[in-house]
Amino acid sequence: MIRVVVADDHPIVSSGIVALLQAADDIQVVGQAADGAAAVSIVLAERPDVVLMDLRMPVLDGDAATAEILATAPEVRVLILTTYESDDQILAAIEAGATGYLLKAAPESEILAGVRATARGETALAPSAAAALVRRAVGTTPAGPSLTPRELEVLRLVAQGNSNPGIGRVLFLSETTVKTHLGHVFEKLGVNDRTRAVTRAMELGLLA
């Protein structure tokens, strides 16, 4: 029996993953966590075979939680299960010690196979994750994300310290539209806050 802890901050998603795992004869869910810190606590108490770890969670993100778990319980194997697939996120997760990296959009059979492979100590990788590792191995990097002119305008105003209402006034946009543009920027850059978006854009040369 493969003992699994599921760490995901979206209740509906978490419930779906648990139901999928519990339906398998050889898998037992022994704990659920809605944030990274809780995941660390539960894993260290339960010592499961596998942790299914989301990346973006409150309190402690998936990369940091993975590193903390493996520092104390190196026998536990972590399989990242997320919606995000940027090279930076994939490589950070692998560098933190994750055994595998799968996407939530993967077929259920692939997720179950990934859990079983991870429990055996094998690597389970989504094609995008495998490609990222190959690029790292050969020393190449993909082209950076492409932001639209409007998204760049919004991000430049964020970098100048403007609030969403302030950006809306400058660009003659509603606050809702500004938030939508920012949401697209966050997604493309693989970040979840304004400060990191600006920092990441500067790292990529998108902002002077």
Side-chain angles (χ1 to χ4, degrees), residues 1-207:
M1 186 66 70
I2 302 170
R3 301 173 71 254
V4 178
V5 165
V6 175
D8 196 299
D9 64 325
H10 294 92
I12 294 176
V13 174
S14 182
S15 296
I17 295 170
V18 170
L20 170 66
L21 299 177
Q22 294 283 47
D25 294 336
D26 58 340
I27 298 173
Q28 177 187 11
V29 176
V30 296
Q32 291 178 254
D35 65 69
V40 173
S41 296
I42 292 171
V43 170
L44 296 185
E46 294 291 338
R47 301 293 172 125
D49 301 300
V50 176
V51 184
L52 269 182
M53 181 79 74
D54 193 11
L55 279 183
R56 292 191 187 173
M57 292 187 291
V59 187
L60 197 66
D61 65 25
D63 293 342
T66 296
E68 282 200 23
I69 288 168
L70 297 179
T72 306
E75 76 281 3
V76 174
R77 297 186 174 101
V78 178
L79 173 60
I80 301 297
L81 185 63
T82 184
T83 57
Y84 307 103
E85 54 180 329
S86 74
D87 275 22
D88 284 349
Q89 290 164 326
I90 292 167
L91 294 171
I94 300 302
E95 288 169 0
T99 300
Y101 193 110
L102 295 179
L103 300 178
K104 291 177 182 176
E108 292 183 350
S109 58
E110 185 176 323
I111 293 173
L112 291 172
V115 170
R116 293 175 178 125
T118 300
R120 293 192 300 266
E122 300 170 6
T123 300
L125 292 175
S128 55
L133 292 176
V134 170
R135 284 192 289 268
R136 165 64 66 87
V138 299
T140 61
T141 56
S146 176
L147 302 184
T148 67
R150 179 63 86 187
E151 289 166 356
L152 280 171
E153 284 181 314
V154 170
L155 192 54
R156 287 193 185 99
L157 290 169
V158 169
Q160 294 168 13
N162 292 279
S163 64
N164 287 356
I167 294 170
R169 286 191 293 271
V170 172
L171 298 180
F172 303 99
L173 301 173
S174 70
E175 186 175 351
T176 299
T177 300
V178 172
K179 288 180 179 178
T180 298
H181 285 308
L182 275 177
H184 292 158
V185 169
F186 289 177
E187 182 177 355
K188 289 180 179 181
L189 297 181
V191 301
N192 56 13
D193 64 66
R194 296 159 68 93
T195 300
R196 182 58 184 151
V198 171
T199 303
R200 182 64 180 143
M202 293 178 70
E203 290 171 352
L204 292 170
L206 299 175
L207 292 178

